[in-house]
């Protein structure tokens, strides 16, 4: 007499497959909306154009690095700042998925919550990389961006900006997972970003800032990231790269932990 054995229960695909499929889904959503692509590229290009023209005269001031064109000084900072702004959009995108019912459907499937967050992080990393590459092409063709570090220095600065943006992205994913409100998410993000951007060495040397802003800029983590990216691009003695990468790793780990806990709360 033969005995029937129950078929093994399907427990879903492995974590890496889930991340791959969900990342592809996020990228398809991005590509399917041309307006999102256009505006995500247009905003940093406008910022680059305005700042490169408004602050160009700073290159003639005594405290500015000798022999460095302002566009070569500015562009590494624009890379880091754009990566930071793209990190905010990762959080906004997560809130949007929470509100439109996509994540509610995912919860009914054998999908790990961590894979959803990692996929969101990776898709936004790809989007940020595309933005930064297009900005670099624009800066080279239109403004003559040609730092002393050459292609290798530019590539290193780009990689550092992506690492910083990826680490910050996890913080914004964590904030989004707990706030679950796009408008509030954007308000909190901009309140955090603008002091970081302007109270730093991004647009002018720290020595050119008022005394009280110098004190803030000297402890601003964005200053360290910008200075490290700038040193790589300009082929100057590199300082702060290890610190910037370590900080990004710590932010990513803390953001991952907080994001998973917030994401697993009932919708």
């Amino acid at each position: 007499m033969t005995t029937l054995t129950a078929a093994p229960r399907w427990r879903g695909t492995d974590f890496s497959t889930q991340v791959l499929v969900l990342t592809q889904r996020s990228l398809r959503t991005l590509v399917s909306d041309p307006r999102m692509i256009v505006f995500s590229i247009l905003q940093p290009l406008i910022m680059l154009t305005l700042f490169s023209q408004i602050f160009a005269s700073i290159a003639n001031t005594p405290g500015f690095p000798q022999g460095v064109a302002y566009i070569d000084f500015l562009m590494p900072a624009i890379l880091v700042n754009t990566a930071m702004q793209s990190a905010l959009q990762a959080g906004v995108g997560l809130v949007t998925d929470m509100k439109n019912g996509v994540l509610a459907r995912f919860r009914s499937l054998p999908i790990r919550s961590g894979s959803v967050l990692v996929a969101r992080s990776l898709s936004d990393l790809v989007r940020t990389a595309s933005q930064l590459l297009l900005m670099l092409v624009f800066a080279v063709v239109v403004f003559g961006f040609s730092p002393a570090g050459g292609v290798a220095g530019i590539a290193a600065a780009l990689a550092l900006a992506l690492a910083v943006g990826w680490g910050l992205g996890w913080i914004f994913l964590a904030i989004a997972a707990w706030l679950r409100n796009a408008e509030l998410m954007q308000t909190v993000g901009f309140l955090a970003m603008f002091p970081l951007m302007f109270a730093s060495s991004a647009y002018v040397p720290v020595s050119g800032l008022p005394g009280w802003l110098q004190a803030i800029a000297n402890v601003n983590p964005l200053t360290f990231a910008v200075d490290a990216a700038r040193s790589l691009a300009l082929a100057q003695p590199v300082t702060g790269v290890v610190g910037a990468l370590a900080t990004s790793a710590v932010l990513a780990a803390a953001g991952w932990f907080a994001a998973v806990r917030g994401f697993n709360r009932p919708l």
Side-chain angles (χ1 to χ4, degrees):
M1 180 177 179
T2 59
T3 58
L4 297 176
T5 58
R9 182 181 179 185
W10 184 68
R11 299 183 180 276
T13 56
D14 58 82
F15 183 81
S16 60
T17 301
Q18 292 177 15
V19 169
L20 177 61
V21 172
L22 292 172
T23 300
Q24 292 174 341
R25 174 252 167 199
S26 295
L27 290 175
R28 283 196 299 269
T29 301
L30 175 64
V31 174
S32 65
D33 190 349
R35 298 170 300 176
M36 186 179 300
I37 298 175
V38 170
F39 285 108
S40 66
I41 295 173
L42 192 59
Q43 180 181 348
L45 292 182
I46 292 174
M47 180 185 298
L48 172 62
T49 302
L50 290 176
F51 285 133
S52 65
Q53 302 305 302
I54 293 172
F55 296 119
S57 60
I58 294 174
N60 300 320
T61 58
F64 195 82
Q66 295 295 316
V68 177
Y70 184 70
I71 185 63
D72 296 341
F73 177 87
L74 173 68
M75 193 59 201
I78 293 290
L79 292 177
V80 174
N81 285 339
T82 301
M84 183 174 66
Q85 292 175 358
S86 295
L88 171 61
Q89 295 306 313
V92 174
L94 181 63
V95 172
T96 301
D97 282 347
M98 287 181 168
K99 295 299 182 182
N100 63 17
V102 171
L103 296 187
R105 293 195 293 272
F106 285 164
R107 288 177 184 273
S108 66
L109 301 173
I111 296 176
R112 298 181 186 178
S113 58
S115 65
V116 177
L117 295 170
V118 172
R120 165 60 63 179
S121 175
L122 291 178
S123 64
D124 282 290
L125 183 64
V126 172
R127 176 175 57 84
T128 303
S130 302
Q131 281 182 299
L132 297 187
L133 286 171
L134 287 172
M135 286 183 63
L136 284 171
V137 172
F138 185 80
V140 170
V141 173
V142 177
F143 297 111
F145 175 56
S146 181
V151 175
I154 294 173
L158 173 64
L160 180 62
L162 289 173
V164 170
W166 183 74
L168 284 172
W170 277 106
I171 296 298
F172 286 119
L173 285 173
I175 295 173
W178 286 93
L179 292 181
R180 301 186 179 183
N181 182 291
E183 292 79 8
L184 185 57
M185 175 72 206
Q186 288 181 320
T187 300
V188 171
F190 282 118
L191 284 175
M193 284 194 305
F194 274 95
L196 287 173
M197 288 170 55
F198 291 102
S200 72
S201 62
Y203 304 113
V204 298
V206 172
S207 60
L209 297 172
W212 66 275
L213 269 181
Q214 288 187 31
I216 297 175
N218 285 327
V219 297
N220 185 346
L222 188 64
T223 294
F224 304 140
V226 168
D227 287 348
R230 188 172 284 145
S231 297
L232 291 168
L234 297 177
Q236 296 175 344
V238 178
T239 58
V241 173
V242 174
L245 293 176
T247 301
S248 298
V250 171
L251 291 176
W256 157 268
F257 178 77
V260 170
R261 293 198 62 178
F263 184 82
N264 286 333
R265 292 186 306 149
L267 289 175

